[in-house]
Amino acid sequence: MMPEIPSGVSDKLEKMMDILGLDWGTADFKKSAENGNYHFLEVNSNPMFSVLIRWPRG
């Protein structure tokens, strides 16, 4: 199960992806143990698991 990020963070991420022209991507964050703030690390426009989604099922 993926943790939910606050709407303020997801709104900023969506805006950044629009500026970068990305229709798809995954973002990595680190949540501070001290204050609970989210720190953005990177956005991957072609994440590894996207290959698994297209992997033939058999």
Side-chain angles (χ1 to χ4, degrees), residues 8-22:
V9 174
S10 63
D11 293 343
K12 290 176 183 176
L13 177 61
E14 188 174 336
K15 183 176 180 179
M16 182 189 73
M17 291 182 67
D18 285 344
I19 290 169
L20 294 173
L22 299 176

Side-chain angles (χ1 to χ4, degrees), residues 2-58:
M2 298 297 293
E4 297 263 340
I5 59 173
S7 62
V9 174
S10 63
D11 293 343
K12 290 176 183 176
L13 177 61
E14 188 174 336
K15 183 176 180 179
M16 182 189 73
M17 291 182 67
D18 285 344
I19 290 169
L20 294 173
L22 299 176
D23 294 324
W24 163 257
T26 60
D28 295 328
F29 293 90
K30 185 171 184 171
K31 186 176 180 182
S32 171
E34 294 174 8
N35 58 22
N37 289 341
Y38 286 82
H39 299 277
F40 173 75
L41 302 175
E42 67 177 345
V43 64
N44 298 300
S45 60
N46 192 18
M48 180 187 81
F49 67 81
S50 67
V51 173
L52 299 176
I53 293 170
R54 293 179 287 212
W55 195 272
R57 301 196 193 322

